[in-house]
Amino acid sequence: MPTGGAPQSDPGHTAALHADVTALLTGWTPTGPAAADARDRTLALLAAGPVAVTRAHRPGHVTASALVLDPGGDRVLLCLHGKFHRWVQLGGHCEPGDRTLAGAALREATEESGIEGLRIDPVPIDVDIHPVACQGDSLHYDVRFAVLAPAGAVERVSAESTALGWFPPDELPEPLAGGTRQLVAPALAALRRSPLRRVP
């Protein structure tokens, strides 16, 4: 998940995205106590206004990530991040043009995996807050989604990754980023509900 780049400044983008994130998290049923606490803290962050969805907000900002699954839920796609050298789900900062958080997560997953035709469940599977190096001492308020890869998908390593790999959900690689393992159960639950197969 990237940690660099220039701050966004498009007021239309930030206002629309801020409204989407606020509505999304306000109506979301958390997947566990830790996610509930992170959701409440993220809503408190959003009270700062649209700047909270941009990396210009030094106290912290909302990001989006995705755990990519194969069609049967037998494997998950992770990247060996080029900066902090741990295996992690795909994702990163919101960018100009992102009007929804699910759209941002899908864009990031597509860019970082090189796989076209990914499908996203627009209901989050987790929220996690963790420190990052971008903009000095800051926090990522990361909202995570489940994404389904098409059958026969072939991944391509991006500039942000050292490697990409498919792993069985119960055999994730090490070193693994904190918070990644906790995505597996809710992502598989989302797949069992089948919304990923229905989202165009």
Side-chain angles (χ1 to χ4, degrees):
M1 295 168 21
T3 56
Q8 301 114 344
S9 58
D10 174 12
H13 151 255
T14 54
L17 185 58
H18 178 266
D20 174 76
V21 178
T22 302
L24 180 70
L25 294 182
T26 299
W28 180 56
T29 301
T31 49
D37 178 67
R39 186 272 313 271
D40 293 345
R41 290 173 59 193
T42 304
L43 287 171
L45 175 84
L46 290 166
V51 70
V53 300
T54 77
R55 69 193 83 180
H57 194 241
R58 288 182 180 270
H61 42 278
V62 174
T63 56
S65 65
L67 187 66
V68 179
L69 305 108
D70 70 5
D74 300 313
R75 300 180 303 160
V76 299
L77 181 65
L78 300 177
C79 73
L80 184 60
H81 198 279
K83 289 186 178 178
F84 56 87
H85 310 295
R86 291 182 180 273
W87 290 95
V88 66
Q89 75 276 5
L90 309 179
H93 289 108
C94 301
E95 300 291 350
D98 292 332
R99 297 284 168 165
T100 68
L101 199 59
L106 183 60
R107 175 188 52 74
E108 285 283 337
T110 301
E111 291 174 356
E112 294 184 5
S113 70
I115 298 172
E116 297 296 330
L118 296 174
R119 295 178 179 225
I120 190 166
D121 180 359
V123 178
I125 58 171
D126 188 41
V127 180
D128 183 78
I129 301 170
H130 52 271
V132 290
C134 60
Q135 298 299 315
D137 184 16
S138 188
L139 294 172
H140 275 180
Y141 291 71
D142 193 43
V143 182
R144 284 95 181 265
F145 298 85
V147 167
L148 182 69
V154 178
E155 69 279 7
R156 294 192 311 273
V157 175
S158 75
E160 293 170 5
S161 305
T162 301
L164 289 167
W166 291 98
F167 302 95
D170 57 352
E171 297 178 18
L172 300 185
E174 295 291 344
L176 189 67
T180 297
R181 193 177 307 277
Q182 71 199 35
L183 303 182
V184 172
L188 291 174
L191 181 61
R192 286 192 294 270
R193 293 193 303 269
S194 298
L196 296 173
R197 296 191 175 95
R198 295 195 302 267
V199 176

